[in-house]
Amino acid sequence: MIKNAFISFQEQKEESRGSVEFQVFSFTNKIRRLTSHLELHRKDYLSQRGLRKILGKRQRLLAYLSKKNRGRYKELINQLNIRELKTR
């Protein structure tokens, strides 16, 4: 399912790999892959650190997108099935 979504998303955004949406999408794929890895290897602390770093990067990109274009942000979080950012 994720691979098919990636292929369809990649076909749409072939020339815009630097876009915020594509970066968030690739970070989300990495997060899901690392999460499944950490379910098997609970004491892999370097992977835990990498996961935290990627989560922070994705969070900053989503915050930027929500400030710049709320509609694209809503569409992206619905497409990726992730929770909405909490605003302070």
Side-chain angles (χ1 to χ4, degrees):
M1 181 175 106
I2 293 173
K3 190 172 189 178
N4 293 337
F6 178 73
I7 291 170
S8 66
F9 190 80
Q10 188 174 12
E11 289 172 357
Q12 293 173 358
K13 304 281 184 178
E14 185 66 36
E15 60 277 347
S16 62
R17 291 184 181 193
S19 70
V20 176
E21 289 93 347
F22 187 83
Q23 290 180 32
V24 169
F25 184 76
S26 63
F27 285 148
T28 302
N29 284 337
K30 287 181 185 179
I31 289 167
R32 289 180 178 153
R33 192 172 58 240
L34 277 173
T35 303
S36 65
H37 169 78
L38 287 171
E39 287 175 355
L40 295 174
H41 308 281
R42 295 192 185 275
K43 293 191 175 186
D44 189 354
Y45 299 116
L46 289 175
S47 293
Q48 288 177 14
R49 181 176 184 265
L51 177 62
R52 286 193 300 268
K53 286 179 70 103
I54 294 172
L55 283 169
K57 286 180 185 180
R58 184 180 75 173
Q59 184 178 10
R60 287 191 299 273
L61 280 172
L62 286 172
Y64 168 79
L65 186 62
S66 70
K67 288 178 189 174
K68 293 294 180 182
N69 192 337
R70 193 71 175 175
R72 282 174 40 197
Y73 168 75
K74 290 278 191 182
E75 180 182 334
L76 183 65
I77 61 171
N78 287 335
Q79 183 181 7
L80 295 178
N81 196 21
I82 55 179
R83 290 184 288 181
E84 187 171 350
L85 256 172
K86 294 180 182 176
T87 55
R88 293 180 181 186

